[in-house]
Coordinates of all heavy atoms in Angstrom, one line a residue:
M1 N 85.0 9.0 106.2 CA 85.1 8.4 107.5 C 84.8 9.4 108.6 O 85.2 10.6 108.6 CB 86.5 7.8 107.8 CG 86.6 7.1 109.1 SD 88.3 6.4 109.4 CE 88.2 5.0 108.4
K2 N 84.0 9.0 109.6 CA 83.7 9.9 110.7 C 84.9 10.0 111.6 O 85.6 9.1 111.8 CB 82.5 9.4 111.5 CG 81.2 9.3 110.7 CD 80.1 8.8 111.5 CE 78.8 8.7 110.6 NZ 77.7 8.3 111.5
V3 N 85.0 11.2 112.2 CA 86.2 11.4 113.1 C 85.7 10.9 114.5 O 84.6 10.8 114.8 CB 86.6 12.9 113.2 CG1 87.2 13.3 111.8 CG2 85.4 13.8 113.6
I4 N 86.8 10.6 115.3 CA 86.5 10.1 116.6 C 85.7 11.0 117.5 O 85.0 10.5 118.4 CB 87.8 9.7 117.3 CG1 87.6 8.7 118.4 CG2 88.6 10.9 117.8 CD1 87.1 7.4 117.9
T5 N 85.7 12.3 117.3 CA 84.9 13.1 118.1 C 83.4 12.9 117.9 O 82.6 13.3 118.8 CB 85.2 14.6 117.8 OG1 85.0 14.9 116.4 CG2 86.6 15.0 118.1
R6 N 83.0 12.2 116.9 CA 81.6 11.9 116.7 C 81.2 10.6 117.5 O 80.1 10.3 117.5 CB 81.3 11.7 115.2 CG 81.5 13.0 114.4 CD 81.1 12.8 113.1 NE 81.4 14.0 112.3 CZ 81.4 14.2 111.0 NH1 81.2 13.1 110.3 NH2 81.7 15.3 110.5
L7 N 82.1 9.9 118.0 CA 81.8 8.7 118.8 C 82.0 9.1 120.3 O 83.1 9.4 120.7 CB 82.8 7.6 118.5 CG 82.7 6.3 119.3 CD1 81.3 5.8 119.0 CD2 83.8 5.4 118.9
I8 N 80.8 9.2 121.0 CA 80.9 9.6 122.4 C 80.8 8.3 123.2 O 79.9 7.5 123.0 CB 79.8 10.6 122.7 CG1 79.9 11.9 122.1 CG2 79.7 10.8 124.3 CD1 78.8 12.8 122.3
I9 N 81.6 8.2 124.2 CA 81.6 7.0 125.0 C 81.3 7.4 126.5 O 82.0 8.2 127.1 CB 83.0 6.3 125.0 CG1 83.3 5.9 123.6 CG2 82.9 5.1 125.9 CD1 84.7 5.5 123.3
F10 N 80.1 6.9 126.9 CA 79.8 7.1 128.4 C 80.2 5.9 129.1 O 79.9 4.8 128.8 CB 78.3 7.3 128.4 CG 77.8 8.6 127.9 CD1 77.1 8.5 126.7 CD2 77.9 9.8 128.5 CE1 76.6 9.7 126.1 CE2 77.5 10.9 127.9 CZ 76.8 10.9 126.7
I11 N 81.1 6.2 130.1 CA 81.7 5.1 130.9 C 81.1 5.3 132.3 O 81.2 6.3 132.9 CB 83.2 5.2 130.9 CG1 83.8 5.2 129.5 CG2 83.8 4.2 131.8 CD1 83.8 3.8 128.9
N12 N 80.6 4.2 132.7 CA 80.2 4.1 134.1 C 81.0 3.0 134.8 O 80.9 1.8 134.4 CB 78.7 3.7 134.2 CG 78.3 3.6 135.7 OD1 78.9 4.1 136.5 ND2 77.2 2.9 135.9
V13 N 81.9 3.3 135.6 CA 82.8 2.3 136.3 C 82.2 1.9 137.6 O 82.0 2.7 138.5 CB 84.2 2.9 136.4 CG1 85.1 1.8 137.1 CG2 84.9 3.3 135.1
V14 N 81.9 0.6 137.7 CA 81.3 0.1 138.9 C 82.4 -0.8 139.6 O 83.0 -1.6 139.0 CB 80.1 -0.8 138.6 CG1 79.5 -1.4 139.9 CG2 79.1 0.0 137.9
F15 N 82.7 -0.5 140.9 CA 83.8 -1.2 141.6 C 83.2 -2.3 142.5 O 82.2 -2.1 143.2 CB 84.5 -0.2 142.5 CG 85.2 0.9 141.7 CD1 84.7 2.1 141.6 CD2 86.4 0.6 141.1 CE1 85.4 3.1 140.9 CE2 87.0 1.5 140.4 CZ 86.6 2.8 140.3
F16 N 83.7 -3.5 142.3 CA 83.4 -4.6 143.2 C 84.6 -5.0 143.9 O 85.7 -4.9 143.5 CB 82.9 -5.8 142.4 CG 81.6 -5.5 141.7 CD1 81.5 -5.1 140.3 CD2 80.4 -5.6 142.3 CE1 80.4 -4.9 139.7 CE2 79.2 -5.4 141.7 CZ 79.1 -5.1 140.4
S17 N 84.5 -5.5 145.1 CA 85.6 -5.9 145.9 C 86.0 -7.3 145.7 O 87.0 -7.8 146.4 CB 85.2 -5.6 147.4 OG 84.2 -6.4 147.7
N18 N 85.4 -8.0 144.9 CA 85.8 -9.5 144.7 C 87.0 -9.5 143.8 O 87.0 -9.2 142.6 CB 84.6 -10.1 143.9 CG 84.8 -11.6 143.9 OD1 85.9 -12.1 143.9 ND2 83.7 -12.4 143.9
T19 N 88.1 -10.0 144.4 CA 89.4 -10.0 143.7 C 89.4 -11.1 142.7 O 90.2 -11.2 141.7 CB 90.5 -10.2 144.6 OG1 90.3 -11.4 145.5 CG2 90.7 -9.0 145.6
V20 N 88.6 -12.2 142.7 CA 88.6 -13.2 141.8 C 88.0 -12.8 140.5 O 88.6 -13.1 139.4 CB 87.7 -14.5 142.3 CG1 87.6 -15.5 141.3 CG2 88.4 -15.0 143.6
F21 N 86.9 -12.1 140.5 CA 86.3 -11.7 139.3 C 86.7 -10.3 138.8 O 86.4 -9.9 137.7 CB 84.8 -11.7 139.5 CG 84.3 -13.1 139.7 CD1 83.9 -13.5 140.9 CD2 84.2 -14.0 138.6 CE1 83.4 -14.8 141.1 CE2 83.8 -15.3 138.8 CZ 83.4 -15.7 140.1
G22 N 87.4 -9.5 139.6 CA 87.8 -8.2 139.2 C 86.7 -7.1 139.4 O 85.8 -7.3 140.2
Q23 N 86.8 -6.1 138.6 CA 85.9 -5.0 138.7 C 85.2 -4.9 137.3 O 85.8 -5.1 136.3 CB 86.7 -3.7 139.0 CG 87.4 -3.8 140.3 CD 88.2 -2.6 140.6 OE1 88.3 -1.7 139.8 NE2 89.0 -2.6 141.7
S24 N 83.9 -4.5 137.4 CA 83.1 -4.4 136.2 C 83.1 -3.0 135.6 O 82.9 -2.0 136.4 CB 81.7 -4.8 136.6 OG 80.9 -4.7 135.4
V25 N 83.5 -2.9 134.4 CA 83.5 -1.6 133.7 C 82.4 -1.6 132.7 O 82.4 -2.5 131.8 CB 84.9 -1.3 132.9 CG1 84.8 0.0 132.2 CG2 86.0 -1.4 134.0
T26 N 81.4 -0.8 132.8 CA 80.2 -0.8 131.9 C 80.0 0.5 131.3 O 80.5 1.5 131.8 CB 78.9 -1.2 132.7 OG1 78.7 -0.2 133.7 CG2 79.1 -2.5 133.4
G27 N 79.3 0.6 130.2 CA 79.1 1.8 129.5 C 78.1 1.7 128.3 O 77.7 0.6 128.0
V28 N 77.8 2.8 127.7 CA 76.9 2.9 126.6 C 77.7 3.7 125.5 O 78.2 4.8 125.8 CB 75.6 3.5 126.9 CG1 74.7 3.6 125.7 CG2 74.8 2.7 127.9
I29 N 77.7 3.2 124.3 CA 78.4 3.9 123.2 C 77.4 4.4 122.3 O 76.5 3.7 121.8 CB 79.3 3.0 122.5 CG1 80.4 2.4 123.5 CG2 80.1 3.7 121.4 CD1 81.2 1.4 122.9
I30 N 77.4 5.8 122.0 CA 76.4 6.4 121.1 C 77.1 7.3 120.1 O 78.3 7.7 120.3 CB 75.4 7.2 121.9 CG1 76.0 8.4 122.6 CG2 74.6 6.4 122.9 CD1 75.1 9.4 123.2
D31 N 76.5 7.5 119.0 CA 77.0 8.5 118.0 C 76.6 9.9 118.5 O 75.5 10.1 118.8 CB 76.3 8.2 116.6 CG 76.9 9.1 115.6 OD1 76.5 10.3 115.6 OD2 77.7 8.6 114.7
S32 N 77.6 10.8 118.5 CA 77.3 12.1 119.0 C 76.4 12.9 118.1 O 75.7 13.8 118.7 CB 78.7 12.9 119.2 OG 79.3 13.1 118.0
Q33 N 76.3 12.7 116.9 CA 75.4 13.5 116.0 C 74.0 13.0 116.0 O 73.1 13.7 116.2 CB 76.0 13.4 114.6 CG 77.2 14.2 114.4 CD 77.6 14.3 112.9 OE1 77.3 13.3 112.1 NE2 78.2 15.4 112.5
T34 N 73.8 11.6 116.0 CA 72.5 11.1 115.8 C 71.9 10.7 117.2 O 70.7 10.5 117.3 CB 72.5 9.8 115.0 OG1 73.3 8.8 115.6 CG2 73.0 10.1 113.6
K35 N 72.8 10.6 118.2 CA 72.4 10.2 119.6 C 71.9 8.8 119.6 O 71.3 8.4 120.5 CB 71.4 11.2 120.2 CG 71.8 12.6 120.2 CD 73.1 12.8 121.0 CE 73.4 14.3 121.0 NZ 74.8 14.6 121.0
Q36 N 72.2 8.0 118.6 CA 71.8 6.6 118.5 C 72.8 5.7 119.1 O 74.1 6.0 118.9 CB 71.5 6.2 117.1 CG 70.3 7.0 116.4 CD 69.0 6.7 117.1 OE1 68.6 5.6 117.4 NE2 68.3 7.8 117.5
P37 N 72.4 4.6 119.7 CA 73.4 3.6 120.2 C 74.2 3.0 119.0 O 73.6 2.8 118.0 CB 72.6 2.7 121.0 CG 71.2 2.8 120.5 CD 71.0 4.2 120.0
L38 N 75.4 2.6 119.3 CA 76.2 1.9 118.3 C 76.3 0.4 118.7 O 77.2 0.0 119.5 CB 77.5 2.6 118.1 CG 77.6 4.0 117.6 CD1 78.9 4.6 117.6 CD2 76.9 4.0 116.2
P39 N 75.6 -0.4 118.1 CA 75.7 -1.9 118.4 C 77.0 -2.4 117.6 O 77.3 -2.0 116.5 CB 74.5 -2.5 117.8 CG 74.0 -1.6 116.8 CD 74.4 -0.2 117.2
G40 N 77.6 -3.4 118.2 CA 78.7 -4.1 117.4 C 80.1 -3.4 117.6 O 81.0 -3.8 116.9
V41 N 80.2 -2.4 118.4 CA 81.5 -1.8 118.6 C 82.4 -2.8 119.4 O 82.0 -3.4 120.4 CB 81.4 -0.5 119.5 CG1 82.8 0.1 119.8 CG2 80.6 0.5 118.8
T42 N 83.6 -3.0 118.9 CA 84.6 -3.9 119.6 C 85.3 -3.2 120.6 O 85.9 -2.1 120.4 CB 85.6 -4.5 118.5 OG1 84.9 -5.1 117.5 CG2 86.6 -5.4 119.2
I43 N 85.3 -3.7 121.9 CA 85.9 -3.1 123.0 C 86.9 -4.1 123.6 O 86.5 -5.2 123.9 CB 84.9 -2.8 124.1 CG1 83.8 -1.8 123.6 CG2 85.6 -2.1 125.3 CD1 82.5 -2.4 123.5
I44 N 88.2 -3.7 123.6 CA 89.3 -4.7 124.0 C 90.2 -4.0 124.9 O 90.8 -2.9 124.6 CB 90.1 -5.3 122.8 CG1 89.1 -6.0 121.9 CG2 91.2 -6.1 123.3 CD1 89.7 -6.6 120.6
A45 N 90.6 -4.6 126.0 CA 91.6 -4.1 126.9 C 92.9 -4.6 126.5 O 93.0 -5.6 125.7 CB 91.3 -4.5 128.4
E46 N 94.0 -4.1 127.0 CA 95.4 -4.4 126.6 C 95.7 -5.9 126.9 O 96.6 -6.4 126.3 CB 96.4 -3.5 127.1 CG 96.8 -3.7 128.6 CD 95.8 -3.1 129.6 OE1 94.9 -2.4 129.2 OE2 95.9 -3.4 130.8
N47 N 95.0 -6.5 127.9 CA 95.3 -7.8 128.3 C 94.4 -8.8 127.5 O 94.3 -10.0 127.8 CB 95.0 -8.1 129.8 CG 93.7 -7.7 130.2 OD1 92.8 -7.3 129.3 ND2 93.4 -7.9 131.4
N48 N 93.9 -8.4 126.4 CA 93.0 -9.2 125.4 C 91.7 -9.6 126.0 O 91.1 -10.5 125.5 CB 93.9 -10.4 124.8 CG 94.9 -10.0 124.0 OD1 94.8 -9.0 123.2 ND2 96.0 -10.7 124.0
V49 N 91.3 -8.9 127.0 CA 89.9 -9.1 127.5 C 89.1 -8.2 126.7 O 89.4 -7.0 126.5 CB 89.8 -8.8 129.0 CG1 88.4 -8.8 129.5 CG2 90.6 -9.8 129.9
G50 N 88.0 -8.8 126.1 CA 87.2 -7.9 125.3 C 85.8 -8.3 125.2 O 85.3 -9.3 125.8
T51 N 85.0 -7.5 124.5 CA 83.6 -7.7 124.4 C 83.1 -6.9 123.2 O 83.8 -6.1 122.5 CB 82.7 -7.3 125.7 OG1 81.4 -7.7 125.5 CG2 82.7 -5.8 125.9
I52 N 81.8 -7.0 122.9 CA 81.2 -6.2 121.8 C 80.0 -5.5 122.3 O 79.2 -6.2 123.1 CB 80.8 -7.1 120.6 CG1 82.1 -7.8 120.0 CG2 80.0 -6.3 119.5 CD1 81.8 -8.7 118.9
S53 N 79.7 -4.3 122.0 CA 78.5 -3.7 122.4 C 77.2 -4.3 121.9 O 77.2 -4.8 120.8 CB 78.5 -2.1 122.1 OG 78.5 -1.9 120.7
D54 N 76.2 -4.3 122.7 CA 74.9 -5.0 122.3 C 74.1 -4.1 121.5 O 74.6 -3.0 121.1 CB 74.1 -5.5 123.5 CG 73.6 -4.4 124.4 OD1 73.6 -3.3 124.0 OD2 73.1 -4.7 125.5
V55 N 72.9 -4.5 121.1 CA 72.0 -3.7 120.3 C 71.7 -2.3 120.8 O 71.4 -1.4 120.0 CB 70.7 -4.5 119.9 CG1 69.8 -4.6 121.2 CG2 69.9 -3.9 118.8
D56 N 71.8 -2.1 122.1 CA 71.5 -0.8 122.7 C 72.8 0.0 123.0 O 72.8 1.0 123.7 CB 70.8 -1.0 124.0 CG 69.4 -1.7 123.9 OD1 68.7 -1.3 122.9 OD2 69.1 -2.6 124.7
G57 N 74.0 -0.5 122.5 CA 75.2 0.1 122.6 C 75.9 -0.2 123.9 O 76.9 0.4 124.3
K58 N 75.3 -1.0 124.7 CA 75.8 -1.3 126.1 C 76.9 -2.3 126.1 O 76.9 -3.2 125.2 CB 74.7 -1.7 127.0 CG 73.6 -0.7 127.3 CD 72.5 -1.2 128.1 CE 71.4 -0.2 128.3 NZ 70.3 -0.7 129.1
Y59 N 77.8 -2.2 127.0 CA 78.9 -3.2 127.1 C 79.3 -3.4 128.6 O 79.0 -2.6 129.4 CB 80.1 -2.9 126.3 CG 80.9 -1.7 126.8 CD1 81.9 -1.8 127.7 CD2 80.5 -0.4 126.5 CE1 82.6 -0.7 128.1 CE2 81.1 0.7 126.9 CZ 82.2 0.6 127.8 OH 82.8 1.6 128.3
N60 N 80.0 -4.5 128.8 CA 80.5 -4.8 130.2 C 81.8 -5.6 130.1 O 81.9 -6.5 129.3 CB 79.5 -5.7 130.9 CG 80.0 -6.0 132.4 OD1 80.3 -5.1 133.1 ND2 79.9 -7.2 132.7
L61 N 82.8 -5.0 130.8 CA 84.2 -5.7 130.8 C 84.5 -6.0 132.3 O 84.2 -5.1 133.1 CB 85.3 -4.8 130.2 CG 85.5 -4.7 128.8 CD1 86.6 -3.7 128.5 CD2 85.9 -6.0 128.2
V62 N 85.1 -7.1 132.6 CA 85.5 -7.4 133.9 C 87.0 -7.3 133.9 O 87.7 -8.2 133.2 CB 85.0 -8.7 134.5 CG1 85.5 -9.0 135.8 CG2 83.5 -8.7 134.4
L63 N 87.6 -6.4 134.7 CA 89.1 -6.2 134.7 C 89.6 -6.2 136.1 O 88.9 -5.9 137.1 CB 89.4 -4.9 134.1 CG 89.0 -4.6 132.6 CD1 89.2 -3.2 132.2 CD2 89.7 -5.6 131.7
E64 N 90.9 -6.6 136.3 CA 91.5 -6.6 137.6 C 91.8 -5.1 138.0 O 91.8 -4.2 137.1 CB 92.8 -7.4 137.6 CG 92.5 -8.9 137.4 CD 93.8 -9.7 137.3 OE1 94.8 -9.1 137.6 OE2 93.7 -10.9 137.1
S65 N 92.2 -4.9 139.2 CA 92.6 -3.5 139.7 C 93.9 -3.1 139.0 O 94.7 -4.0 138.6 CB 92.8 -3.5 141.2 OG 91.7 -3.8 141.9
G66 N 94.1 -1.9 138.8 CA 95.3 -1.4 138.1 C 95.0 -0.5 136.9 O 93.8 -0.2 136.6
A67 N 96.0 -0.2 136.1 CA 95.8 0.7 135.0 C 95.5 -0.1 133.7 O 96.0 -1.3 133.6 CB 97.2 1.5 134.7
H68 N 94.6 0.4 132.9 CA 94.1 -0.3 131.8 C 94.0 0.6 130.6 O 93.5 1.7 130.8 CB 92.8 -1.0 132.0 CG 92.9 -2.2 133.0 ND1 93.3 -3.4 132.7 CD2 92.6 -2.1 134.3 CE1 93.3 -4.1 133.8 NE2 92.8 -3.4 134.8
E69 N 94.4 0.2 129.4 CA 94.1 0.9 128.2 C 93.0 0.1 127.5 O 93.2 -1.0 127.1 CB 95.2 1.2 127.4 CG 94.9 2.0 126.1 CD 96.1 2.3 125.3 OE1 97.2 2.5 125.9 OE2 96.0 2.4 124.1
I70 N 91.9 0.8 127.2 CA 90.8 0.1 126.5 C 90.6 0.7 125.1 O 90.6 2.0 124.9 CB 89.5 0.3 127.3 CG1 89.6 -0.3 128.7 CG2 88.3 -0.4 126.6 CD1 88.5 -0.1 129.6
N71 N 90.5 -0.1 124.1 CA 90.5 0.3 122.7 C 89.0 0.0 122.2 O 88.5 -1.0 122.4 CB 91.4 -0.5 121.8 CG 92.9 -0.2 122.3 OD1 93.3 0.9 122.4 ND2 93.6 -1.3 122.5
F72 N 88.5 1.0 121.5 CA 87.2 1.0 120.9 C 87.3 1.1 119.4 O 87.8 2.1 119.0 CB 86.3 2.1 121.5 CG 86.1 2.1 123.0 CD1 87.0 2.7 123.8 CD2 84.9 1.5 123.5 CE1 86.8 2.7 125.2 CE2 84.8 1.5 124.9 CZ 85.7 2.0 125.7
T73 N 86.8 0.1 118.7 CA 86.8 0.2 117.3 C 85.5 -0.1 116.7 O 84.7 -1.0 117.2 CB 87.9 -0.8 116.7 OG1 87.6 -2.1 117.1 CG2 89.3 -0.4 117.1
F74 N 85.2 0.5 115.5 CA 83.9 0.3 114.9 C 84.0 0.7 113.4 O 84.7 1.7 113.1 CB 82.8 1.2 115.5 CG 81.4 0.9 115.2 CD1 80.8 -0.4 115.3 CD2 80.6 1.9 114.5 CE1 79.5 -0.7 114.9 CE2 79.3 1.6 114.2 CZ 78.7 0.4 114.4
I75 N 83.5 -0.1 112.6 CA 83.6 0.2 111.1 C 83.0 1.6 110.8 O 81.9 2.0 111.2 CB 82.8 -0.9 110.3 CG1 83.5 -2.2 110.6 CG2 82.8 -0.5 108.8 CD1 82.8 -3.4 109.9
G76 N 83.8 2.4 110.1 CA 83.4 3.7 109.7 C 83.7 4.8 110.7 O 83.5 6.0 110.5
Y77 N 84.4 4.4 111.8 CA 84.8 5.4 112.9 C 86.3 5.1 113.1 O 86.8 4.1 112.9 CB 84.1 5.1 114.2 CG 82.6 5.5 114.2 CD1 81.6 4.7 113.6 CD2 82.2 6.8 114.7 CE1 80.3 5.1 113.6 CE2 80.9 7.1 114.7 CZ 80.0 6.3 114.1 OH 78.6 6.6 114.1
E78 N 87.0 6.2 113.5 CA 88.3 6.1 113.9 C 88.5 5.4 115.3 O 87.5 5.5 116.1 CB 89.0 7.4 114.0 CG 89.2 8.1 112.7 CD 89.8 9.4 112.7 OE1 90.5 9.8 113.7 OE2 89.8 10.2 111.8
K79 N 89.5 4.7 115.5 CA 89.8 4.0 116.7 C 89.9 4.9 117.9 O 90.4 6.1 117.7 CB 91.1 3.2 116.6 CG 91.4 2.4 117.8 CD 92.7 1.6 117.6 CE 93.2 0.9 118.8 NZ 94.5 0.1 118.5
N80 N 89.3 4.6 119.1 CA 89.4 5.5 120.2 C 90.0 4.7 121.4 O 89.7 3.5 121.6 CB 88.0 6.0 120.6 CG 88.1 7.0 121.6 OD1 89.1 7.6 122.0 ND2 86.9 7.4 122.2
N81 N 90.9 5.3 122.2 CA 91.5 4.7 123.3 C 91.1 5.4 124.6 O 90.9 6.6 124.6 CB 93.0 4.7 123.2 CG 93.5 4.0 122.0 OD1 93.0 2.9 121.7 ND2 94.5 4.5 121.4
L82 N 90.9 4.6 125.7 CA 90.6 5.3 127.0 C 91.5 4.5 128.0 O 91.6 3.3 128.0 CB 89.2 4.9 127.3 CG 88.6 5.4 128.6 CD1 88.6 6.9 128.7 CD2 87.2 4.9 128.9
T83 N 92.1 5.4 128.9 CA 93.0 4.8 129.9 C 92.2 5.0 131.3 O 91.7 6.0 131.5 CB 94.3 5.6 130.0 OG1 95.0 5.5 128.7 CG2 95.2 5.1 131.1
L84 N 92.1 3.9 132.0 CA 91.5 3.8 133.3 C 92.4 3.3 134.3 O 93.3 2.5 134.1 CB 90.3 2.8 133.3 CG 89.1 3.2 132.4 CD1 88.1 2.0 132.5 CD2 88.4 4.5 132.8
Q85 N 92.2 3.9 135.6 CA 92.9 3.3 136.8 C 91.9 2.8 137.7 O 91.1 3.6 138.2 CB 93.7 4.5 137.4 CG 94.5 4.0 138.7 CD 95.6 3.1 138.4 OE1 96.3 3.2 137.3 NE2 95.8 2.2 139.2
L86 N 91.8 1.5 137.8 CA 90.8 0.9 138.7 C 91.5 0.6 140.1 O 92.6 0.0 140.1 CB 90.3 -0.4 138.0 CG 89.6 -0.3 136.7 CD1 89.2 -1.6 136.1 CD2 88.5 0.6 136.8
K87 N 90.8 1.0 141.1 CA 91.3 0.7 142.5 C 90.3 -0.2 143.2 O 89.1 -0.1 143.0 CB 91.4 2.0 143.3 CG 92.5 2.9 142.6 CD 92.6 4.2 143.4 CE 93.6 5.1 142.7 NZ 93.7 6.4 143.4
M88 N 90.9 -1.1 144.0 CA 90.0 -1.9 144.8 C 89.4 -1.2 145.9 O 90.1 -0.4 146.6 CB 90.8 -3.1 145.4 CG 90.0 -4.1 146.1 SD 90.9 -5.4 146.9 CE 91.7 -6.2 145.4
V89 N 88.1 -1.3 146.1 CA 87.4 -0.7 147.2 C 86.9 -1.8 148.2 O 86.2 -2.7 147.7 CB 86.2 0.1 146.6 CG1 85.4 0.8 147.7 CG2 86.7 1.1 145.6
N90 N 87.1 -1.6 149.5 CA 86.6 -2.5 150.5 C 87.0 -3.9 150.3 O 86.0 -4.7 150.0 CB 85.1 -2.3 150.8 CG 84.8 -0.9 151.2 OD1 85.5 -0.3 151.9 ND2 83.6 -0.5 150.7
P91 N 88.2 -4.3 150.3 CA 88.6 -5.7 150.1 C 87.9 -6.6 151.1 O 87.6 -6.2 152.2 CB 90.1 -5.7 150.2 CG 90.5 -4.5 151.0 CD 89.3 -3.5 150.7
L92 N 87.6 -7.9 150.8 CA 87.0 -8.8 151.6 C 87.8 -9.4 152.7 O 87.4 -9.9 153.7 CB 86.4 -10.0 150.8 CG 85.3 -9.6 149.8 CD1 85.0 -10.8 149.0 CD2 84.1 -9.1 150.5
F93 N 89.2 -9.2 152.5 CA 90.1 -9.8 153.6 C 91.0 -8.7 154.0 O 91.2 -7.7 153.6 CB 90.9 -11.0 153.0 CG 91.5 -10.7 151.7 CD1 92.8 -10.2 151.6 CD2 90.8 -11.0 150.5 CE1 93.4 -10.0 150.3 CE2 91.4 -10.8 149.2 CZ 92.6 -10.3 149.2

């Protein structure tokens, strides 16, 4: 089994001010040795909001402001957790 250090997660957090839809957390998941994208990685936040990375290893989650723990799992790799603190920027009201 590959160790988690072989799974590199590039996270790009994009902040939106729309409180109805929350904030978009996007990223690309690649293998650190082969530099190839990992399609089919399961990405789930603690509030059971989740998605799966596409064929290019890209994913998008929409979460509310606040602290979130995001879990990344993939067959053959150890589970990885990431903690994020999302803050609202420029509220509409």
Side-chain angles (χ1 to χ4, degrees):
M1 178 180 285
K2 296 182 182 182
V3 294
I4 199 64
T5 56
R6 293 186 186 165
L7 177 64
I8 296 179
I9 301 167
F10 290 105
I11 302 287
N12 178 25
V13 179
V14 180
F15 296 101
F16 293 100
S17 60
N18 190 332
T19 58
V20 174
F21 295 106
Q23 299 174 4
S24 182
V25 178
T26 62
V28 177
I29 304 174
I30 63 170
D31 183 289
S32 65
Q33 288 186 331
T34 65
K35 307 298 186 216
Q36 296 297 311
L38 294 175
V41 176
T42 303
I43 302 115
I44 300 178
E46 77 283 348
N47 59 357
N48 290 326
V49 172
T51 189
I52 297 175
S53 62
D54 67 12
V55 70
D56 298 318
K58 297 177 183 178
Y59 69 92
N60 181 52
L61 278 177
V62 178
L63 302 170
E64 295 180 5
S65 296
H68 296 277
E69 181 174 329
I70 302 173
N71 299 307
F72 299 84
T73 56
F74 191 60
I75 295 173
Y77 290 80
E78 292 180 14
K79 181 178 174 180
N80 190 8
N81 299 319
L82 177 67
T83 302
L84 294 176
Q85 179 69 35
L86 301 177
K87 297 180 182 179
M88 185 180 302
V89 179
N90 300 324
L92 295 175
F93 48 91

